[in-house]
Amino acid sequence: MSKVTLLVLCAGSSSRFGLSSKKQWLRVGDIPLWLFVTKKIASYYNFDKVIITSSKDELTYMKNFSDDYDFVLGGETRQDSIKNALESIDSDYVMVTDVARSCVPKNVILDLISNKDKASCIVPVLDVADTVIFKNETINRDDVKLIQTPQLSNTKILRKALKSKTSFTDDSSAIKNMGESVFYIKGSTQSNKLTFEDDLKTNSCLNAPSNNFFTGFGIDIHAFEENKKMVLGGVEIESNFGFKAHSDGDVLIHSVIDALLGACGAGDIGEFFPDTDDTYKNIDSKTLLKKIVNFVYSVGYDIVNVDFTILAQKPKISPYKYEIKKSMAHLLNVDMQFVNVKATTAEKLGFVGRSEGVTVHSVATLKYFNWKE
C-alpha cells in the first residue's frame, strides 16, 4: 500500500475572518479547530505521517496540545507553508487540506485515496447550480466546477510544481501548470470553506466551545535602581528610583503577563521576551503586554478579569491605584470593573520591608471566545 502523508495547513492570519480569535483557534468543546480538523481526518485513514503547519508566534504553543503529530513552521503564503512541510515528507503521496475545511466527510477522503493512481493530483469538485456570468456573458454552468480541498498529490510532482515563481491558490493549479494530469472526484457541500464569520452558520459539525474558565497566577520581583523612572501598570510613579531590569522594569505588567500566559497554558514571559535579546532592552512594558493580550485573544480566549496585589514598602501606591486600574483596563481591553488593584506593605519584613524592591502577585481568569453567540 502506498504511503500517504496528511498535511494540515494552519499558519494563516485569518485576516478576512473578522473576529478576535483566529479561525484555527476557535474551540469545539475544549479543543481548537486545527486539532479538531486534524483528529477528524486522521481517523478516516491510516496515514503514514500527519504534519501541521503553524505561524511562528503559535508554533511552540501548538505543540502543547498534542504529541501525536509533527509541527512545521509555515510560510508567508499557503504555497510557502506547503513547500516548508514537503521538506520533511518522504511518502509517495501527500494529502493537503486547509483548516478552514472543517467538516470534510469520510467518503471524500477515501475517494481521494482510492483514485490516487489516476492522475498526479486528485481533486474534489462541486457542480454549480446557479447561472454563471463570465465577463458579462452567460456561460454554460456545466462547464464550471468549484474546486475544494483536501487534494491528494504525487509528492515528487507537487514538490517540483511548487518551485514555480507563480503563486497558486491550490495544488492542482500548480500541477496542471506544468502539464501534469488532474483527476476530479465528487466533492461535498459539507466541505464548505470557513472564510468569513457568517460561514460559521453552515459548518454543522462544529459544536460550541465549553463554558470552562481558566485561571493563571503570575508573580514578579524587581529591585530598585537609582535615577531611573518608576512605572507600574503603565503609570509613572513619583519616585527617586525605578526598577532594575532589562526592560523598563514594570513589575506589575510583567506579573500580569505571566498570569495571562498561565491561564492559557502558554509558558512564561521569558519564553516570549527573553532578557538575553537586545530587542527588549529598556522596552516599554506596555508594548509587551499588548503583544500578549493580542496573542490571548487570537488563540481563542476572552479575558474575564484580572486581580493583582502590589507589595511595596515604598513608594506609596494608594494615590495611583485608580490610574493604574484605568491603564490596565485599557491595555487588557476590558471594562474597569474587571480589573482589581490591591496594595499593601510588607510590615518592614523581608526585601520589600527593607525597601529594596517591589513584588506583584497577579491572578487572571480567561474563558473561551464564544463564537456561537
Side-chain angles (χ1 to χ4, degrees):
M1 183 173 67
S2 300
K3 293 182 177 181
V4 180
T5 293
L6 173 64
L7 173 55
V8 186
L9 302 175
C10 307
S13 63
S14 294
S15 57
R16 294 180 292 171
F17 194 45
L19 296 177
S20 60
S21 172
K22 290 185 178 181
K23 58 190 167 190
Q24 58 263 44
W25 288 103
L26 297 174
R27 292 311 194 280
V28 181
D30 277 304
I31 67 172
L33 183 63
W34 66 263
L35 186 55
F36 173 84
V37 170
T38 303
K39 284 179 174 287
K40 184 180 180 72
I41 297 179
S43 71
Y44 296 155
Y45 184 77
N46 184 25
F47 291 97
D48 180 55
K49 184 189 294 185
V50 177
I51 296 177
I52 299 165
T53 66
S54 170
S55 67
K56 181 180 179 180
D57 292 341
E58 297 162 11
L59 183 60
T60 299
Y61 187 51
M62 270 192 173
K63 293 178 181 179
N64 290 330
F65 287 79
S66 177
D67 61 358
D68 294 329
Y69 313 117
D70 294 339
F71 295 87
V72 173
L73 181 63
E76 291 296 321
T77 65
R78 181 185 189 276
Q79 193 161 312
D80 289 337
S81 290
I82 297 175
K83 288 164 70 174
N84 287 354
L86 284 172
E87 292 179 7
S88 57
I89 294 176
D90 56 10
S91 58
D92 300 315
Y93 298 92
V94 56
M95 181 181 292
V96 181
T97 192
D98 301 281
V99 69
R101 305 275 183 185
S102 52
C103 298
V104 180
K106 183 176 182 178
N107 68 286
V108 171
I109 302 301
L110 298 183
D111 283 352
L112 286 167
I113 295 171
S114 66
N115 286 287
K116 64 182 181 297
D117 296 326
K118 293 185 177 178
S120 298
C121 186
I122 315 300
V123 183
V125 297
L126 291 179
D127 293 329
V128 177
D130 297 318
T131 298
V132 178
I133 302 295
F134 179 70
K135 293 184 177 181
N136 294 322
E137 297 293 333
T138 302
I139 63 174
N140 186 352
R141 63 188 176 194
D142 293 334
D143 293 333
V144 179
K145 304 294 180 185
L146 300 178
I147 287 182
Q148 297 182 311
T149 58
Q151 296 178 11
L152 183 70
S153 301
N154 179 290
T155 303
K156 292 181 179 179
I157 293 175
L158 179 60
R159 186 179 287 118
K160 185 177 180 181
L162 294 182
K163 289 181 179 179
S164 169
K165 293 182 179 180
T166 304
S167 180
F168 300 99
T169 56
D170 79 313
D171 316 332
S172 67
S173 299
I175 287 175
K176 182 174 283 189
N177 181 65
M178 60 181 293
E180 291 286 342
S181 57
V182 175
F183 182 78
Y184 300 105
I185 66 167
K186 185 177 181 180
S188 172
T189 55
Q190 295 179 52
S191 302
N192 58 296
K193 192 175 182 182
L194 180 58
T195 303
F196 305 105
E197 181 181 356
D198 285 347
D199 296 329
L200 287 166
K201 300 172 185 176
T202 59
N203 282 259
S204 58
C205 73
L206 303 181
N207 295 322
S210 78
N211 293 318
N212 288 333
F213 286 81
F214 307 90
T215 302
F217 176 73
I219 181 172
D220 197 34
I221 300 167
H222 281 302
F224 293 138
E225 181 177 308
E226 297 289 341
N227 302 315
K228 187 176 181 181
K229 181 173 68 176
M230 178 178 286
V231 182
L232 276 174
V235 174
E236 187 171 344
I237 308 296
E238 186 175 346
S239 174
N240 294 326
F241 45 83
F243 295 114
K244 186 177 183 179
H246 185 66
S247 65
D248 65 0
D250 193 325
V251 62
L252 191 158
I253 283 182
H254 299 173
S255 173
V256 169
I257 285 175
D258 268 353
L260 292 171
L261 293 176
C264 64
D268 61 46
I269 188 172
E271 296 174 39
F272 282 76
F273 313 114
D275 59 12
T276 54
D277 189 339
D278 285 341
T279 303
Y280 308 113
K281 181 69 173 176
N282 297 320
I283 195 169
D284 186 337
S285 291
K286 295 193 297 294
T287 300
L288 306 183
L289 180 56
K290 288 175 183 177
K291 289 179 181 291
I292 295 303
V293 168
N294 287 338
F295 173 82
V296 168
Y297 283 113
S298 70
V299 297
Y301 292 92
D302 280 336
I303 298 173
V304 178
N305 77 306
V306 174
D307 177 42
F308 45 86
T309 302
I310 306 166
L311 285 82
Q313 198 68 39
K314 66 176 186 179
K316 194 171 180 62
I317 303 300
S318 55
Y320 302 96
K321 287 175 67 176
Y322 181 78
E323 288 302 316
I324 290 173
K325 182 185 182 80
K326 186 167 64 172
S327 171
M328 292 301 293
H330 174 73
L331 291 168
L332 294 166
N333 196 26
V334 298
D335 293 337
M336 286 180 62
Q337 63 180 314
F338 301 120
V339 175
N340 191 56
V341 185
K342 303 190 298 291
T344 185
T345 67
E347 301 294 339
K348 298 186 178 181
L349 299 174
F351 75 91
V352 173
R354 293 191 298 271
S355 299
E356 295 173 358
V358 168
T359 183
V360 180
H361 297 199
S362 300
V363 177
T365 302
L366 308 180
K367 64 179 180 178
Y368 292 135
F369 168 71
N370 191 350
W371 53 270
K372 277 283 192 179
E373 288 183 342

